[in-house]
Amino acid sequence: MNNTVFVTRKILDLLQVRNTKSHIEDTILSHPDHTSLLAVSDALNTYSLKNLSAKIDKTRLPELPLPCIVQVKKEESPVFWVLNRCMEDSVSFYDDSNTLKHESKESFLKKWTGICLLVDKTETISEPGIDKKLSSIRLAQSLSALLLLLLIIWVSNTLFNSDITAKPENIVYTLVYTLLKVGGLLVGAALLWFEVDQYNPKLQALCSGGKKVDCHAVLNSKHARLFNGSLSLGVLGLSYFFATFLYLPIQEFSMSSLAILTFFSFSTFPILLISAYYQGMIIGQWCKFCIGIQVILITEIILGHAAGFYENPIVLQTLPVLGILLIVPILLWKFVKPLLDKERETNLYKRGFKKIKNNPKVLSSLLAASRKIETAPNGLGISLKRNTAEYDIIKVCNPYCGPCATAHPHLEELVNRGKINLQILFTASTNHVDNRAKPVRHLLAINDQGNELRTQQALDNWYSAPKKDYNAFALKYPLNGELAQQDAKIEAMYGWCKKEKIAHTPTLFINGYELPMEYYNAKDLKEILG
């Protein structure tokens, strides 16, 4: 699953095509055959990237346009690599673990199945809505960076203007002590990340490291949770480091705050022993994150003792502040974690639903159960045909219908890809009170001129206009007496619509069967048929 997501993003990056991980994951993981080269090809199609899957004679390896995706044999099952360079005696590629590797051509050819996906970069490459997505990402990154900068300034100013500056060695000890708190915060955050996304490849890489290292076994065990499983050690760890880190600048790095936190560090020593006992003796596995927390706590204890922080007088009136800081992260996590779990489940259900919905076999079954047109609309309306088309689609629409306008670009894209023949019929009548007749006459008259490109442009201009203004449209596409010749065609379409009992627009027919619009729309067809 991750292999197809990775190779798609990697080849887009190598081709310098802007992309977002979320779009790639949604496109591929919702594909009916998400582990296949077809899923990668369909994902690249959403970027308007021309691509072709083929089986090539291995002797023609130097002729392949690079970068490209290749299928290689592996013990479990074939995987995909991104071939980056092909030299005289060697090749370089990104393997399924996202590592750039160099290998002799002879060794590579033994693994390569000959199957590859060739990609050609075009001028119209774009991820749908990429600018808006990247703007949102950049805003979040900028705000995060600003928040971090302000936090650093605040902590630094407070530290170097506190009473510990009287002794230079105290500054060093306190600075190191503060950095340990930051390190603990990062490890604590990783523990919480693990709770909501434990199968993330990055976390998997961090957790691996031998037969006795298994974060899953430790963190998912009953020993890693308190109060009947309602409180994890991960949130306790983050709460500890969050509270003790912020307590220092809030108390202006006073000697009293350092003394209190040193005793707090000393109190964690029994917990360290218990954690080591359970990992080593009871569970028989070790967690890298837990070991990281243990190392930081032990270092804290040693540093606090070496610096003599515990010898300073303690102001007990500040303890409630520390207590509040300890409770806040736990309460926040109680609210945030269900939201994160719900979002993850929603994504899983959404992708699972789309996987079923986007399956051509499911669509075929639903079409077979829907009504079939009784009379073929031969010669009616506007037809856009392609020699390579696999499907014939009839679109019955109203020129002033909003959903019809929304459906048009998706269907036109399928026509331009050569996937469908499209026949456009209109529900207008020749009745003088029917305002639909004017634009329909004009579009039919333009189509009669025999210039398909001009017809497509006219359709695009009409449907893409935010306000449907016939007079402005007529000025853009001037005609002479052709309009008077269209009434018979409009009457024929109107009669066909009445006979077929067209009740709403748009109504779509695929190979003669009505598309169930309660389940599908034109955008769905672009993903299924495209």
Side-chain angles (χ1 to χ4, degrees), residues 371-415:
R371 73 178 177 115
K372 186 178 182 180
I373 56 175
E374 297 179 3
T375 307
N378 296 328
L380 300 182
I382 297 172
S383 294
L384 305 174
K385 294 185 177 294
R386 295 293 182 269
N387 293 331
T388 58
E390 302 174 37
Y391 304 91
D392 294 312
I393 292 184
I394 298 169
K395 176 193 176 190
V396 186
C397 58
N398 173 345
Y400 290 100
C401 164
C404 296
T406 302
H408 176 75
H410 301 301
L411 295 173
E412 187 180 45
E413 187 174 336
L414 285 171
V415 171

Side-chain angles (χ1 to χ4, degrees), residues 406-466:
T406 302
H408 176 75
H410 301 301
L411 295 173
E412 187 180 45
E413 187 174 336
L414 285 171
V415 171
N416 293 336
R417 289 184 191 173
K419 298 294 183 179
I420 67 169
N421 294 319
L422 178 63
Q423 186 174 4
I424 303 173
L425 306 180
F426 298 95
T427 56
S429 69
T430 55
N431 191 311
H432 69 279
V433 297
D434 191 345
N435 66 337
R436 298 172 296 178
K438 288 184 178 180
V440 172
R441 282 194 190 94
H442 217 103
L443 290 168
L444 291 174
I446 293 171
N447 183 60
D448 279 353
Q449 294 176 346
N451 186 334
E452 186 177 285
L453 180 59
R454 181 175 170 81
T455 300
Q456 283 191 257
Q457 288 175 341
L459 288 166
D460 291 343
N461 288 335
W462 176 261
Y463 280 120
S464 63

Side-chain angles (χ1 to χ4, degrees), residues 59-131:
T59 59
R60 301 183 62 186
L61 175 64
E63 301 175 27
L64 294 182
L66 300 178
C68 71
I69 296 170
V70 294
Q71 184 191 63
V72 294
K73 291 176 286 188
K74 215 172 180 183
E75 291 181 5
E76 305 86 3
S77 60
V79 295
F80 303 114
W81 291 351
V82 178
L83 186 62
N84 191 33
R85 293 185 64 193
C86 182
M87 287 74 77
E88 186 175 347
D89 299 315
S90 63
V91 297
S92 66
F93 54 86
Y94 290 89
D95 68 5
D96 48 303
S97 62
N98 195 10
T99 305
L100 179 61
K101 289 189 175 180
H102 304 275
E103 197 170 274
S104 69
K105 188 181 290 185
E106 181 182 357
S107 175
F108 173 78
L109 288 174
K110 289 179 181 178
K111 301 173 185 176
W112 183 34
T113 63
I115 294 174
C116 59
L117 183 68
L118 309 178
V119 181
D120 181 24
K121 187 175 181 180
T122 61
E123 295 180 359
T124 57
I125 298 172
S126 176
E127 178 178 303
I130 184 68
D131 291 324

Side-chain angles (χ1 to χ4, degrees), residues 427 429 491-502:
T427 56
S429 69
E491 283 295 333
M493 282 191 297
Y494 185 70
W496 184 89
C497 291
K498 287 185 67 176
K499 186 174 182 180
E500 294 297 332
K501 298 178 182 178
I502 302 300

